[in-house]
Amino acid sequence: MNSPDGLAENVLFLLHGLGDTSAPFHRLASTMSLPQTACFSLQAPHPLPPDLGYSWFPITVPELCEVSEAETREGLRVAAADLLAHVGATMKTLGLSLDRAHLLGFSQGAAVALAAAVAVADKAGSDDNGSCRLGSVCAVSVSSVSQVQQLVDAAAAAQTKRGQNTNGRAGGGATHTPLLVLVKHQYC
């Protein structure tokens, strides 16, 4: 979706949750009508049986499918890599640097967005023009507090590593991706 004012200086990628489609986030992007921001509501690649929406990576769904924790972790890693490839290609096509890309994920889409932030942070030093970071990541209603903590810890460690130059001194400039994480709470 094009920026309402025709000036796409930023790009917002919206990632839906488990069992949903891109349609609700497409409507959300239209409603927000963000100035100077093009919005893309992305569709998860894995259909859930029978017509229960889509998934970004394999996950156990009670009474439908069992997936090991290792398969889920690997699926999340692959989903993040695929997302970053898509985001990178889109940004290149638009002539924008990666630090103009913003991710908004809900539930399983939030986990993918956080994993993508970690993957970008892990690329420390591989991009000489300083654009090897995302503009921001907003992760809403991530279901696993431990998963969020692991991803945030990994991102912080990678960003700390990135802030050091070859002499071990702190590097200059903003090199981190701002993260906003909202964790779902269950009330009794």
Side-chain angles (χ1 to χ4, degrees):
M1 167 182 304
N2 290 328
S3 173
D5 55 12
L7 303 170
E9 294 179 10
N10 298 289
V11 181
L12 176 63
F13 295 89
L14 299 104
L15 291 81
H16 63 80
L18 177 67
D20 207 348
T21 67
S22 61
F25 271 13
H26 180 75
R27 288 190 298 274
L28 174 63
S30 296
T31 301
M32 288 191 301
S33 189
L34 297 171
Q36 300 176 347
T37 305
C39 297
F40 293 93
S41 179
L42 305 180
Q43 177 70 53
H46 306 288
L48 294 172
D51 297 324
L52 293 177
Y54 291 82
S55 172
W56 292 99
F57 55 89
I59 192 166
T60 295
V61 179
E63 300 182 23
L64 286 180
C65 62
E66 275 299 310
V67 177
S68 73
E69 188 174 326
E71 289 174 296
T72 297
R73 278 194 310 270
E74 177 61 12
L76 177 57
R77 187 196 65 73
V78 169
D82 290 348
L83 171 64
L84 288 174
H86 178 75
V87 168
T90 301
M91 300 307 285
K92 184 175 182 176
T93 297
L94 295 173
L96 297 171
S97 62
L98 190 59
D99 64 352
R100 294 298 194 156
H102 305 272
L103 306 180
L104 169 63
F106 176 76
S107 185
Q108 194 184 49
V112 174
L114 286 171
V118 170
V120 167
D122 283 344
K123 289 178 63 176
S126 67
D127 190 336
D128 293 334
N129 68 11
S131 66
C132 193
R133 73 173 184 91
L134 295 167
S136 65
V137 174
C138 180
V140 179
S141 196
V142 180
S143 60
S144 168
V145 174
S146 64
Q147 179 188 42
V148 169
Q149 190 61 55
Q150 289 171 348
L151 290 170
V152 170
D153 288 349
Q159 290 171 359
T160 298
K161 177 179 77 175
R162 166 188 251 164
Q164 301 295 316
N165 67 18
T166 57
N167 296 326
R169 293 179 301 184
T175 60
H176 66 280
T177 297
L179 301 174
L180 172 61
V181 181
L182 304 173
V183 179
K184 172 173 66 174
H185 295 282
Q186 294 184 346
Y187 299 97
C188 297

